[in-house]
Amino acid sequence: MKKIKILSSLMSIIIMLAVITSFSSAVSALDDDAEIATWKGFRKAAVSFTFDMGAPSHISTVAPLFDEYGYKASFYLVADLSPDWKNFQKLADNGHEIGSNSKTYPADMSGEEKSSKEAIEKKISSKYGCITLAYPNGNVPADTSAVKANYIAARTRTGSVIVHKGPSDWTRVPSYLTGAEGTIKTSNDFVQKIQSTVNINGWVVFDSYGISQQNNGPASYSPTALNAIEGALSWTKDNDKDVWVAPLCEVAMYLKERKASKIVKTKEGQSSVTYSLTHEIADDICRYDYPLSIRCPLPTGWNDVYVTQGKNVLDSKIVNGMVWFDAVPNGGDIVVDKAGAIDPTVKLSQDVFEYDGTVKTPSVTVKNGNTVLKKGTDYTVTYDDGRIEPGTYNVKVTLIGSFSGSKTVSFTIKKSASLKLDKTSASVVCGNTLTLKAALTGSADAVSWKSSDTKTATVDSKGKITAKMAGKVT
C-alpha cells in the first residue's frame, strides 16, 4: 500500500512539472523585456455591445449615443429583412461593426452562413468586412464547420463572462441578453456585470435587440431602455483606464493575435532599440492586423523617445520608465529611438486677424536653427478650439520623430470699433423730441453726443434730441 502511495505522489510531481514546463515555454516566446497587453491599452477588461436584426432605432438612437461617448458597437443584420443599407453603411464608415445575423432569420442559421455574409458584403463596405456572426435566437447549428469557414467568431446567448484567454470555442462566444426578456435590464445591471469582468480581467458581451419606445422594425423582442445603455457607457467612460469598449470583431482579433504573437528584440544600439512583432494566423477570412498594445523598458537616461514601425510614426507615451505604444503584427520593424530635445523657432503666417465671423487657422513654420522641419514627420500642430470671436488663441507645436519638446505661440483676433445709428436722417417739429439709438461694437468706450448747432437742436448724454428752430443740424 505504501508503494502505491509513493508512486501516486511521484506521478503527481511529474505531471505538475510537465505543466510548469509547458507554461514556461509559452512565456519564453515573448522577449523578456517587452510585454503585450492582455487588453488594449493595458486595461483590465474588454466589453462589446452588440445589436441584432438591424432595427431603425439602432441608426437613429443607438449609434449616435455610442458616437457621443467615443465608442463603437457591433450591429448584426438580417440581409433579407431589407435593413436601411445606406445608413448602416454610414455606421460602418464611422467605425461600427456590421456583421451577419443570417439571411432570412431561420431557426439556427444552418445553411446561411456563407450566403448571408456575401449578401451583407455586397451592400456594406467596411475595413474588416463581415467577419463575425450572431446566431438567430442564439441557436447554434449542430455542424459549425461553415461558421468556421466564414467567420472568426460567432456569438451565442449563453450568459457568461469570457476569461482573458478567450472562449474555448470561437463558434460559441457567450453573451448576456439585455432588456425586458434578459437578465441585464438597468444601468446597474450593466455596471455590475462589467465590474465583475474587470475583477477577472475578462471580456463580456451584451446582446440587445430594439430600444424601448423606439421604432424597432423587426427587432421588437426584449426592448432595452436607452438610458440603461447610456448609464453603462457613462460608467465605462469614467473608468476608461480599466475598461476597453470595442466591437466584437476587434476584441476577437486582438485576443487571437495576442495569443499567437511574439515580440522579440532584434537589435540594440546606443540610440535605438529594434523589435519584431509577428504571428502566423492570417487566413482568407481575416488579415489579423489589429494593433496590439506593447510596452518596453527604456535604457537609463532615455527621457524621451519616438517610435516608428515601417514608415509610420506611432503614438507613444512613457510610463514609469517604459514606453507604451500600439503596433501591428507583421507590420515591419518597430524602432524605439532616443529623441533629442530642441528649442524650435516657431513662426505663424499671421499674428493678428481682423474679426469677420470665420475660424482663423494660421499656418506654421518650424525651424531647428536654419533647418525647416516637416509637419507630420518632425512635428504636429494643435490649435485652441473656437478661434472665431475676438481674443487671443494658442497654437502648440509638439515635436516628434527625431526631436522632442514642444512650443506654444499665440495669435490675436481683433474687432475694429463700429458705430451704427438707428437713423441717418429725420425731421422733427420744433418743440418736439427724438431719441437716437447708437450701437457700438468692438470697443469698450462710451458714446458721447454733440450738436453742430445748439440753436437749431440740442442733444443730451443719452441721444435725446430737442428741436429748437427750423434748420438743419448734425
Side-chain angles (χ1 to χ4, degrees):
M1 182 65 70
K2 288 183 178 180
K3 289 182 178 179
I4 294 173
K5 287 184 177 179
I6 292 170
L7 181 60
S8 298
S9 299
L10 287 171
M11 289 180 69
S12 298
I13 293 170
I14 291 169
I15 292 170
M16 187 177 296
L17 286 172
V19 171
I20 292 173
T21 302
S22 174
F23 178 75
S24 298
S25 176
V27 171
S28 65
L30 297 179
D31 195 63
D32 58 6
D33 69 351
E35 301 176 54
I36 301 176
T38 300
W39 301 115
K40 188 175 178 68
F42 287 87
R43 293 177 175 88
K44 297 179 180 178
V47 181
S48 295
F49 292 85
T50 68
F51 298 85
D52 289 7
M53 300 192 76
S57 60
H58 297 165
I59 295 169
S60 62
T61 60
V62 174
L65 177 64
F66 276 79
D67 291 338
E68 178 183 342
Y69 281 90
Y71 294 133
K72 305 303 173 186
S74 298
F75 297 92
Y76 292 101
L77 307 185
V78 180
D80 284 2
L81 290 184
S82 300
D84 186 343
W85 296 110
K86 181 178 179 180
N87 280 308
F88 275 111
Q89 178 64 66
K90 291 180 180 179
L91 267 59
D93 293 341
N94 201 24
H96 297 282
E97 178 188 9
I98 307 298
S100 171
N101 199 193
S102 76
K103 194 167 188 294
T104 65
Y105 210 73
D108 66 1
M109 185 74 188
S110 183
E112 295 190 1
E113 295 87 350
K114 184 177 181 180
S115 61
S116 63
K117 176 186 178 78
E118 290 176 342
I120 290 170
E121 289 188 334
K122 186 177 180 179
K123 294 286 189 177
I124 301 291
S125 174
S126 60
K127 182 176 181 179
Y128 300 109
C130 180
I131 60 173
T132 69
L133 165 71
Y135 296 111
N137 301 303
N139 296 327
V140 183
D143 181 1
T144 58
S145 59
V147 176
K148 294 177 182 177
N150 290 281
Y151 305 94
I152 68 169
R155 197 213 64 211
T156 68
R157 200 184 292 157
T158 53
S160 63
V161 173
I162 306 162
V163 297
H164 71 274
K165 293 181 179 180
S168 57
D169 183 348
W170 280 100
T171 67
R172 289 174 168 83
V173 177
S175 67
Y176 288 91
L177 178 65
T178 73
E181 305 297 328
T183 57
I184 309 296
K185 294 179 171 63
T186 66
S187 293
N188 190 53
D189 293 336
F190 277 104
V191 170
Q192 285 186 349
K193 191 60 64 179
I194 298 171
Q195 286 176 320
S196 66
T197 305
V198 170
N199 293 338
I200 66 166
N201 295 109
W203 174 28
V204 64
V205 180
F206 296 112
D207 171 18
S208 304
Y209 283 79
I211 302 300
S212 301
Q213 300 178 337
Q214 299 285 333
N215 177 12
N216 296 311
S220 59
Y221 177 69
S222 193
T224 303
L226 189 65
N227 61 6
I229 298 173
E230 182 169 14
L233 298 183
S234 177
W235 187 89
T236 56
K237 197 70 175 178
D238 290 340
N239 293 272
D240 180 74
K241 65 181 180 63
D242 292 329
V243 182
W244 175 36
V245 178
L248 192 146
C249 71
E250 294 185 13
V251 178
M253 279 190 287
Y254 187 98
L255 204 159
K256 289 188 173 187
E257 289 175 30
R258 183 246 293 167
K259 292 178 67 177
S261 294
K262 60 180 180 180
I263 182 165
V264 178
K265 185 193 296 180
T266 59
K267 187 187 300 183
E268 183 172 6
Q270 291 185 346
S271 60
S272 69
V273 181
T274 302
Y275 292 92
S276 171
L277 176 65
T278 58
H279 65 56
E280 297 180 356
I281 60 171
D283 54 31
D284 292 337
I285 304 172
C286 182
R287 296 186 302 273
Y288 288 104
D289 57 356
Y290 192 81
L292 296 177
S293 293
I294 310 293
R295 63 185 176 194
C296 309
L298 293 177
T300 303
W302 287 28
N303 298 319
D304 203 355
V305 299
Y306 69 99
V307 183
T308 57
Q309 185 177 32
K311 296 181 179 180
N312 298 317
V313 177
L314 305 183
D315 290 334
S316 62
K317 63 179 179 179
I318 296 176
V319 180
N320 297 327
M322 301 188 81
V323 57
W324 295 30
F325 54 87
D326 289 350
V328 176
N330 303 321
D333 284 344
I334 301 166
V335 182
V336 181
D337 280 298
K338 182 179 180 181
I342 64 170
D343 182 19
T345 301
V346 179
K347 185 176 181 180
L348 300 179
S349 59
Q350 194 169 334
D351 296 322
V352 180
F353 292 85
E354 187 70 25
Y355 170 79
D356 61 6
T358 63
V359 176
K360 304 303 178 187
T361 307
S363 59
V364 177
T365 301
V366 183
K367 290 184 177 182
N368 178 28
N370 294 323
T371 303
V372 178
L373 303 187
K374 186 176 180 181
K375 184 178 179 181
T377 300
D378 301 318
Y379 66 91
T380 60
V381 183
T382 54
Y383 296 84
D384 280 352
D385 293 336
R387 310 192 308 281
I388 297 177
E389 298 300 322
T392 300
Y393 298 91
N394 291 324
V395 181
K396 183 178 180 181
V397 172
T398 302
L399 297 166
I400 59 174
S402 302
F403 308 103
S404 67
S406 64
K407 195 163 191 176
T408 300
V409 294
S410 61
F411 67 92
T412 303
I413 299 176
K414 291 185 176 181
K415 192 172 184 179
S416 298
S418 174
L419 180 63
K420 291 184 178 180
L421 298 177
D422 61 334
K423 292 182 177 62
T424 57
S425 64
S427 297
V428 185
V429 176
C430 293
N432 289 349
T433 62
L434 170 69
T435 299
L436 292 176
K437 294 181 180 179
L440 177 64
T441 57
S443 173
D445 291 341
V447 175
S448 61
W449 298 88
K450 183 179 179 180
S451 170
S452 62
D453 183 359
T454 56
K455 293 181 178 179
T456 302
T458 59
V459 61
D460 66 14
S461 61
K462 295 182 179 180
K464 183 180 178 180
I465 298 169
T466 301
K468 295 290 188 180
M469 58 181 290
K472 291 185 178 181
V473 63
T474 301

